[in-house]
Amino acid sequence: MTDAPATVLLVEDEPSIADVLTIALRYHRFEVLAAGSVREAAEAVRRGRPDVALLDVMLPDGDGRDIAHQLRLSHPEMAVVFLTARDAPAEIVGGLSLGDDYITKPFNVDEVVARLRAVLRRTRPAGRLAVRPPLRYGDLELDEATYTVRRAGRTVDLTPTEYALLRFLVRNAGAVVTKEQLLRHVWRYEHAAESTVVETYISYLRRKLDVHGPPLIMTRRGVGYGLASPGSP
């Protein structure tokens, strides 16, 4: 039994920032509902039930503080954290009067994750427990309780690093992740653009996975890696 994964409503209109935060939050086992505007944020809240909102203030169709005010009225149990370039003392004080924390840009991703967790420890109801379901993609299954991997019902013996790499790819299924993202999030390398470790471990994974089914890990030349669509030949 572990704490049920928290859901973050991420409202950020800058695609590069939204992408970095989404990948980092999912890597740290948050569920993410992403929105780029006030309208999209309202729709995301209707679709899901976030535990915390991470809000930009300056949005193309409104102000993140208006979202915070509406969330306080409609979902008083939801935590609110602002993430904005507005760093004047009056702005920070005003933001803290509406939310639970205030982070200024430019930011450190690890700090954002740590502060979200700190806010959730204060605001999330105790005792929300759940058994984490296995990660599934097509005929692939990753059991996060036992770190066991199966493909087509057969156990695949992976090293811890191979497992971490595969988990990151599965958590970002449907997207192409770059070599730099893999180095940063799997190996924690910040400046290793010339490293061949990604290519080496991708080769290891393919060798172990592809004996149980069609090729799973695809290379997008010049871009990065992704997973083949389930059922692809």
Side-chain angles (χ1 to χ4, degrees), residues 15-26:
S16 60
I17 295 176
D19 288 347
V20 167
L21 287 169
T22 297
I23 290 172
L25 290 170
R26 286 176 175 162

Side-chain angles (χ1 to χ4, degrees), residues 19-20 23-24 27 160-173 175-193 195-203 205-206 217-220 223-227:
D19 288 347
V20 167
I23 290 172
Y27 177 76
T161 300
E162 291 166 351
Y163 179 90
L165 173 58
L166 182 60
R167 179 176 63 186
F168 189 79
L169 290 171
V170 172
R171 286 189 173 278
N172 291 280
V176 175
V177 294
T178 67
K179 173 181 173 180
E180 289 72 22
Q181 288 170 329
L182 291 170
L183 286 170
R184 187 164 61 248
H185 292 288
V186 177
W187 283 271
R188 304 293 179 175
Y189 294 171
E190 291 296 334
H191 304 288
S195 173
T196 61
V197 67
V198 173
E199 292 88 343
T200 300
Y201 273 85
I202 289 288
S203 175
L205 274 180
R206 283 173 169 154
I217 301 173
M218 301 288 103
T219 300
R220 181 73 64 86
V223 181
Y225 301 93
L227 298 183

